[in-house]
Amino acid sequence: MQISCRVQAVKPSPTLSLQARAKALKAAGEPVMSLAAGEPDFPTPEHIRAAAVRAMEAGHTGYAPSAGVPPLREALRNLYERELGLSYGDDQVVVSCGAKQCLFNAFQTLLDPGSEAIIPAPYWVSYPDQVLLCGGVPVIIQPPADGFGLDHKALAEAITDRTRVIVLNSPCNPTGAVLSGSDLDAVARLARAHDLVVISDDIYDKLIFDQKKFESIVQRDPEMKDRTVLINGVSKTYAMTGWRLGYAVGPREIIAGMRKVQDQSTSNAVTFVQYAAIEALASPPEVVEKMVRVFDRRRRKIVELMSAIEGVSCALPGGTFYAFPSFAGFMNKAKDIPDTLNLSELLLDKERVAVIPGDAFGAPGYLRTSFATSMDVIEEGAARIRRFVEDYR
Ligand code: PMP
Ligand code: GLU
């Protein structure tokens, strides 16, 4: 029996497997403090759950058009018009089983074997592996030395005649960093000059702090609308990770390709979930604002606690529910801990605290600590990490 080279080239998602492991240990009665979560710790709001029940009762339980039910496609077109001032035709929208499937469909549509996709590090774990599943080549560029923004020179130098795609993710999982206007302008300039497509993963666009507002590359440079796929979903904004509902808008030919990939793989996203998504997208702003206020308090606390540990430094994330402290100072001294995979294993084994290793995001020396959990878990989790670092011999 022979497993394909494409599948041999990829690994299981480290975020999914670590989160599953932390949950299993907790279920088995272990006193695990999990700072690993990649999802809000709030339940899906009641009005959205009720809309799903109503849709089921109304008989929306059969196959739907693969690209999404018409009222949801219309709601999405209105959403982009209202929020970003962008108008898309009905054939420029596709609804999928999560933003993750939108990303997968987009890469499948744009990459041939040997095509290159530029991915700025630190990056979300699934981008490189999804590119590999197309036979494509992930080209990782490093952040500037002074932070988590975009290194414009590194980006320009990474472009070759095989480059097809640049991936953007702002606010970023795992760093929480928000790209600046000048970062977006630099990407737009290069994409237009080299005829590249931008895949913009906007899944954390509503989880931004300090009253800042998300800005899209297509708003800054309207010509980018012809070469940008905007990807989003209801998972993070409305605490709906398990419902599996994402969406994309973009140029007609690309969306047509993404629809074909979906026709021939999963078909439509769950039909009654699509009706619940219409309700979610129509939620009053307080629904998200309330969640952001809670995340904001936790964000400040986790950064304060991490920064107080010797050998650890932690920037304040501008968005998401992740803080991304550097343990480089500690690891320089702890010579027998070779990488953050090993460090996070030790933290789980010895202190029963779950984090995600920075190495999984192309960022050695860092740990991703999620604050999508209660203040008590944040405080106890940070205290255990501190004890581990201070007691380390
Ligand atoms: N992009 C990023 C950056 C993410 O963190 C996630 C989280 N799962 C996704 C995409 C996928 O989200 P979903 O498939 O749940 O919509
Ligand atoms: N995106 C979340 C995370 O990074 C969920 C897990 C996943 O889909 O990989 O933790």
Side-chain angles (χ1 to χ4, degrees):
M1 191 170 47
Q2 181 80 34
I3 300 302
S4 73
C5 299
R6 283 187 324 286
V7 168
Q8 285 190 59
V10 301
K11 56 187 179 315
S13 163
T15 40
L16 286 180
S17 50
L18 275 159
Q19 284 157 29
R21 193 166 157 212
K23 278 184 187 166
L25 279 169
K26 251 184 4 207
E30 291 285 344
V32 172
M33 295 293 132
S34 180
L35 303 177
E39 57 186 338
D41 52 321
F42 310 110
T44 305
E46 204 276 328
H47 69 288
I48 302 173
R49 303 197 309 264
V53 172
R54 278 199 309 276
M56 267 187 272
E57 298 296 342
H60 293 300
T61 52
Y63 289 132
S66 165
V69 298
L72 176 55
R73 298 207 307 249
E74 195 186 331
L76 290 168
R77 290 170 61 201
N78 292 337
L79 177 82
Y80 278 96
E81 183 82 57
R82 190 171 69 238
E83 292 200 336
L84 303 182
L86 302 174
S87 68
Y88 288 96
D90 183 54
D91 54 357
Q92 294 183 283
V93 182
V94 60
V95 177
S96 301
C97 312
K100 200 179 219 172
Q101 189 190 16
C102 295
L103 287 159
F104 182 83
N105 293 351
F107 288 129
Q108 288 290 330
T109 300
L110 292 163
L111 302 178
D112 284 314
S115 299
E116 294 174 0
I118 298 179
I119 301 172
Y123 49 76
W124 182 47
V125 293
S126 290
Y127 304 141
D129 289 87
Q130 290 199 352
V131 169
L132 290 169
L133 278 173
C134 305
V137 181
V139 175
I140 309 300
I141 58 167
Q142 295 307 313
D146 61 348
F148 291 134
L150 189 73
D151 185 334
H152 301 189
K153 188 157 164 277
L155 175 60
E157 285 171 1
I159 297 172
T160 72
D161 56 5
R162 290 178 302 282
T163 309
R164 297 284 176 272
V165 164
I166 301 171
V167 179
L168 294 184
N169 176 218
S170 172
C172 168
N173 176 3
T175 63
V178 179
L179 289 177
S180 69
S182 80
D183 290 335
L184 297 175
D185 293 344
V187 173
R189 247 190 336 269
L190 288 165
R192 287 208 268 114
H194 296 274
D195 191 19
L196 306 177
V197 171
V198 169
I199 296 182
S200 182
D201 178 350
D202 305 337
I203 191 93
Y204 295 99
D205 69 340
K206 294 288 191 302
L207 304 184
I208 296 194
F209 305 110
D210 307 318
Q211 270 82 49
K212 296 224 172 77
K213 251 196 101 194
F214 171 77
E215 188 174 35
S216 162
I217 192 167
V218 183
Q219 285 172 296
R220 285 197 72 88
D221 183 343
E223 277 186 41
M224 285 302 291
K225 186 156 174 265
D226 297 335
R227 54 176 71 256
T228 303
V229 182
L230 300 179
I231 293 179
N232 211 322
V234 294
S235 282
K236 317 285 170 174
T237 311
Y238 299 106
M240 292 177 71
T241 48
W243 299 62
R244 312 308 306 128
L245 197 290
Y247 47 87
V249 292
R252 272 187 190 82
E253 316 85 274
I254 302 178
I255 296 296
M258 291 167 68
R259 288 179 171 197
K260 262 199 294 188
V261 177
Q262 188 157 302
D263 274 6
Q264 301 293 13
S265 51
T266 56
S267 308
N268 62 277
V270 175
T271 306
F272 51 83
V273 167
Q274 297 193 47
Y275 287 91
I278 297 172
E279 187 74 23
L281 296 172
S283 298
E286 300 88 80
V287 171
V288 184
E289 285 163 9
K290 221 165 63 191
M291 198 161 72
V292 171
R293 275 198 299 277
V294 175
F295 282 143
D296 188 18
R297 283 197 293 277
R298 296 171 179 176
R299 154 181 91 130
R300 291 174 191 284
K301 177 55 82 183
I302 201 165
V303 168
E304 176 199 317
L305 294 174
M306 288 296 157
S307 305
I309 303 174
E310 205 188 317
V312 178
S313 62
C314 188
L316 191 69
T320 73
F321 36 67
Y322 308 113
F324 203 52
S326 166
F327 282 67
F330 166 66
M331 291 185 73
N332 281 340
K333 281 192 250 152
K335 293 282 180 224
D336 47 344
I337 303 181
D339 53 33
T340 58
L341 277 116
N342 186 237
L343 175 58
S344 46
E345 285 286 326
L346 288 170
L347 285 169
L348 191 56
D349 289 348
K350 297 209 182 311
E351 293 289 350
R352 288 289 187 247
V353 50
V355 294
I356 314 272
D359 284 278
F361 305 93
Y366 291 83
L367 294 180
R368 191 187 78 176
T369 54
S370 165
F371 47 93
T373 187
S374 70
M375 211 55 123
D376 287 351
V377 171
I378 290 170
E379 286 178 355
E380 176 60 19
R384 291 183 188 188
I385 295 175
R386 181 176 188 150
R387 185 168 62 200
F388 176 86
V389 167
E390 288 177 353
D391 291 357
Y392 194 79
R393 299 267 172 267

